[in-house]
Amino acid sequence: MADLFDTVRLGGLTLKNRAAMAPMTRARSPGNLPTGETARYYAQRAGAGLIVTEGTVISPEGSGFADCPGLWSREQVAAWQPVTAAVHDQGAAIFTQIWHVGRMSHVSLQPGGAAPVSSTGQQAANSSAFGITQDSTPGFVTASKPRPLETGEIARVVGDFAKAAENAVAAGFDGVEIHGANGYLVEQFLNGAVNDRTDGYGSQSVGNRIRFALEVVDACIARIGKDKVGIRLSPFGRLHELGDFEGEEDTFLTLAAELDKRGLAFVHIMDQASRGAPAMPHGFLAKFRAAYSGVLILAGGMDLERSNAMIGAGLIDIAAFGAPFTSNPDLVERMRHGWPLTPVDHDAYYGGTARGYTDWATHSPKGDAE
């Protein structure tokens, strides 16, 4: 029976264990460029079999966080290359999460101060982007009112995802994870409570709701190959003012079956209960597993016991860990040996310096941290 420390196949790769580092925004890439500290940060955490980087923006329009890295320019490709090399030197695989936030942005982050784009014109008025505040410093600001993408514009955005995937491979990444979760652009199409369109991408049917997600997946596969493409989903997610809608389970199970046909690298599910949202309905994960036979990753409140139980039962293949990796660069070894975990520092999540980023100690059984 497999456990967290066993190897696993992922596309054309063999991962050294079944622990993944989940994507986490850190907002430490001034000018949308990763730095030497970025390379150090990920290399320190390469005890994981798989690293999925923080959300990496596919275009200036897709940004919802100041100082997040991008992948739309040659300069960004070059800046990522030392990061991927450093992780590969430690024997881990690294995918980057390609990201368009949709309506979860602010005019201060948009080219020319334009309105963000989305599936809808509905504002997430009770949610925040990490933009430029009135005193010209980075900080949380209310998400701006978006404009709905015209039908004829959607192909351009799909193309931006595909170009970012191509750039990711040029930067040395093993592949990309399409960010289809947590209330960002892909999920703004999937969620029938937010998606109020009346065209072929609207919420009138399951096929319409999943159309944009599948077009993004297909475009990325066409550009870099199915073994290099994964997607993150948050079924029944309610972050960033998503709501209930009729046919929600059918939407995600139909999407699962369509993704299964494509043979992509993985599906990464985020259970938002760990973020204070309602948990996925009991039994849903097993239904998703029945519809999707490929590599399945689960994040959200995972620990060693839960990971081993779910991996051993064949319900998931890989367990992903987020916040504990911020303060425990050697998280996998700590779990392997039962060593204590260092508490996270919530105040150091976004922006700032090396403090709370690359200055965390590894554990020594002799008591002297390195």
Side-chain angles (χ1 to χ4, degrees):
M1 191 167 66
D3 66 21
L4 188 69
F5 307 110
D6 287 330
T7 61
V8 64
R9 292 286 295 175
L10 181 79
L13 306 169
T14 298
L15 305 185
K16 61 186 177 182
N17 56 55
R18 294 169 181 253
M21 177 178 168
M24 292 172 289
T25 299
R26 303 307 305 270
R28 284 174 167 86
S29 296
N32 304 116
L33 292 169
T35 67
E37 283 299 296
T38 313
R40 185 180 180 196
Y41 170 73
Y42 285 114
Q44 287 173 340
R45 288 151 181 83
L50 171 67
I51 287 175
V52 183
T53 74
E54 61 210 280
T56 300
V57 186
I58 64 171
S59 67
E61 171 194 83
S63 178
F65 261 77
D67 295 334
C68 280
L71 259 176
W72 66 81
S73 73
R74 291 182 180 178
E75 187 180 13
Q76 290 163 342
V77 169
W80 273 116
Q81 287 170 343
V83 181
T84 58
V87 170
H88 287 147
D89 283 348
Q90 300 300 315
I94 182 168
F95 278 51
T96 189
Q97 185 185 71
I98 51 177
W99 191 24
H100 191 306
V101 304
R103 69 175 184 165
M104 293 310 306
S105 186
H106 186 262
V107 291
S108 65
L109 299 169
Q110 292 293 309
V117 300
S118 177
S119 66
T120 180
Q122 299 177 57
Q123 182 180 8
N126 297 311
S127 299
S128 297
F130 192 71
I132 306 302
T133 64
Q134 290 185 344
D135 63 2
S136 300
T137 59
F140 285 102
V141 289
T142 301
S144 298
K145 181 173 174 55
R147 68 170 181 87
L149 284 160
E150 298 288 341
T151 305
E153 293 182 278
I154 290 176
R156 169 183 61 78
V157 179
V158 171
D160 288 341
F161 274 100
K163 181 60 177 177
E166 179 183 332
N167 286 343
V169 172
F173 286 104
D174 296 296
V176 299
E177 175 183 280
I178 297 160
H179 199 340
N182 295 357
Y184 296 116
L185 182 62
V186 172
E187 196 165 35
Q188 289 160 28
F189 280 87
L190 288 171
N191 185 273
V194 167
N195 183 347
D196 54 6
R197 304 178 71 88
T198 58
D199 62 4
Y201 296 88
S203 61
Q204 304 89 340
S205 69
V206 170
N208 282 2
R209 288 193 290 272
I210 68 175
R211 189 183 310 279
F212 179 71
L214 291 177
E215 286 185 357
V216 171
V217 168
D218 289 341
C220 290
I221 288 174
R223 195 69 63 93
I224 64 173
K226 64 183 182 181
D227 283 355
K228 294 182 172 63
V229 177
I231 188 169
R232 195 179 213 208
L233 302 171
S234 51
F236 299 92
R238 295 294 178 264
L239 291 181
H240 298 143
E241 299 175 58
L242 300 185
D244 300 348
F245 64 96
E246 186 176 352
E248 188 163 7
E249 180 175 283
D250 190 29
T251 297
F252 282 100
L253 294 182
T254 302
L255 180 57
E258 288 296 325
L259 295 173
D260 190 62
K261 293 176 186 177
R262 287 156 170 79
L264 69 172
F266 61 81
V267 172
H268 183 178
I269 288 181
M270 170 66 177
D271 185 344
Q272 292 180 353
S274 63
R275 300 276 297 272
M280 290 186 297
H282 179 71
F284 173 79
L285 188 62
K287 293 178 183 178
F288 194 99
R289 177 52 131 183
Y292 174 75
S293 61
V295 172
L296 188 60
I297 305 173
L298 179 65
M302 301 300 286
D303 58 23
L304 180 59
E305 182 179 5
R306 186 180 185 214
S307 300
N308 281 340
M310 298 178 85
I311 291 170
L315 193 58
I316 65 172
D317 300 289
I318 295 171
F321 304 86
F325 258 119
T326 64
S327 53
N328 298 276
D330 55 341
L331 178 65
V332 176
E333 287 306 299
R334 290 180 187 240
M335 291 191 294
R336 189 191 303 272
H337 297 289
W339 296 335
L341 301 186
T342 303
V344 303
D345 180 358
H346 298 279
D347 292 336
Y349 275 0
Y350 305 120
T353 64
R355 192 198 71 77
Y357 187 53
T358 56
D359 63 343
W360 294 98
T362 56
H363 179 80
S364 169
K366 297 178 181 178
D368 53 330
E370 298 176 355

